[in-house]
């Protein structure tokens, strides 16, 4: 086939041009892909890994995110203030940085705010935020709520209240007949919880009453007269002790004998009384939160269960089912600081019935006793830590007649009848 020399020259020239273009394209680097968020790539011009180096392991993305059923809208990043909410930050370090037996002292401030304002005020309309660190309390709410929070914070950080000390003495009585001699000096204080009573007494009358109770053979004191607690902090008087019983069995068919293992369970028996006082800004009244928990193991009822084995197919053993009695109290008290608050928790399970040499029984059945508490403001103390009970420490149990009475401080000037300002507040919500 005859091919023109001119055509051959044209084809050769085109081939050379194509080859030079291919070489030029090979020398131009391709654009690197943009790294995705979280990628470890340092720059878009980073050289690819060598073939001799294994590629990096894929990033761990964690468990798959469950798709939401509810409709979720992304926030604009701006807090709504349809009700005029404002942001405030309170410095609480004067209280939290003082020597304290609590791991998170700021929680005490948060708890008091929730008690005084109501839990629902922070979980409904209007939008509210309450958050505390060790030194700062952050609040987002209406100006009216900020005023309530500001007063409560001031009661904690108020310098005159930093050395204010309180005392709580706990005693149990085998009979309520002690009332016969002292009913004229006790002035009833309204309470919220059923079955309890509270009275106000002058310091002199309270000293005489307590001294008379200690002389009785059916009395038992559970606290030290020198156990003091600072303003805003808590003290716990407790007689809790464990009591073991066989509550169940675990079968072991692989064993020839006995073929089972008894399971020893534990029941904490006794009482725990927590006291958390807070002085008012003017020092004329006291608010105190009282938590009382009493648990008694009255007796155990036995039941027979079969635990057969190959060599003893009719074998059985007994387990114990506890019969218990429990008591729970959460009450907020408000009274004048120059008087003594006396509380009767009623006839309850004997605080330490299994260990007490005195039988606090009012009749047949499990032992019972009347539990009483005396609370008073002891004024300022040069050393706020003196006499305090560290958290978790065992209380000092004083038997009747073994400890001398403590001289009470002088009676401060009388004040007008107590007025509970919380009841007239539009912000206050009762926690009961």
């Amino acid at each position: 086939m005859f091919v023109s020399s001119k055509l051959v020259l044209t084809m050769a020239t085109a081939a050379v041009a194509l080859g030079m273009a291919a070489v030029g394209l090979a020398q131009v680097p391709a654009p690197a892909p943009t790294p995705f968020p979280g990628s470890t790539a340092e720059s878009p011009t980073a050289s690819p890994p060598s073939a001799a180096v294994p590629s990096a392991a894929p990033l761990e993305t964690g468990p798959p995110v469950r798709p939401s059923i509810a409709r979720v809208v992304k926030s604009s990043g701006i807090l709504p203030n349809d009700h005029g909410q404002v942001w405030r930050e309170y410095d609480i370090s004067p209280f939290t940085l003082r020597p304290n037996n609590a791991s998170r002292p700021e929680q005490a401030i948060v708890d008091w705010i929730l008690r005084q304002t109501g839990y629902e005020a922070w979980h409904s309309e209007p939008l509210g935020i309450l958050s505390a660190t060790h030194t700062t309390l952050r609040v987002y709410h209406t100006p009216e709520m900020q005023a309530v929070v500001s007063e409560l914070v001031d009661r904690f950080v108020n310098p005159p209240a930093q050395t204010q000390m309180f005392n709580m003495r706990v005693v149990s009585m085998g009979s309520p007949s002690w009332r016969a001699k002292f009913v004229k000096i006790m002035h009833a204080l309204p309470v919220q919880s059923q079955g309890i009573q509270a009275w106000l007494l002058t310091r002199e009358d309270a000293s005489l009453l307590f001294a008379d109770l200690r002389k009785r053979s059916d009395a038992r004191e559970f606290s030290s007269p020198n156990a003091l607690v600072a303003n805003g902090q808590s003290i716990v008087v407790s007689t809790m002790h464990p009591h073991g019983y066989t509550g169940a069995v675990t079968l072991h068919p692989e064993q020839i004998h006995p073929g089972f293992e008894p399971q020893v369970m534990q029941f904490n028996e006794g009482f725990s009384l927590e006291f958390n006082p807070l002085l008012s800004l003017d020092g004329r009244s006291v608010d105190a939160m009282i938590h009382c928990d009493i648990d008694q193991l009255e007796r155990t009822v036995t039941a027979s269960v079969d635990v057969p084995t190959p060599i003893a197919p009719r074998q059985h053993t007994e387990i114990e089912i506890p019969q218990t009695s429990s008591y729970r109290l959460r009450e907020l008290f408000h009274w004048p600081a120059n008087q003594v608050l006396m509380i009767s928790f009623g006839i309850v399970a004997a605080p330490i019935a299994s260990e007490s040499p005195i039988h606090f029984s009012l009749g047949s059945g499990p032992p019972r006793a009347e539990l009483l508490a005396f609370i008073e403001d002891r004024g300022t103390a040069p050393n706020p830590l003196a006499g305090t009970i560290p958290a978790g420490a065992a209380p000092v149990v004083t038997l009747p007649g073994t400890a001398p009475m403590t001289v009470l401080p002088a009676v401060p000037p009388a004040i007008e009848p107590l007025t509970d300002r919380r009841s007239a507040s539009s912000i206050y919500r009762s926690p009961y």
Side-chain angles (χ1 to χ4, degrees), residues 296 298 323 347 359-368:
Q296 184 185 63
E298 298 180 343
Q323 175 181 317
I347 307 298
H359 190 66
F360 299 101
S361 180
L362 300 176
S364 59
R368 294 288 184 262

Side-chain angles (χ1 to χ4, degrees), residues 29-33 35 39-50:
S39 171
T40 57
E42 296 181 356
S43 66
T45 59
S47 59
S50 172

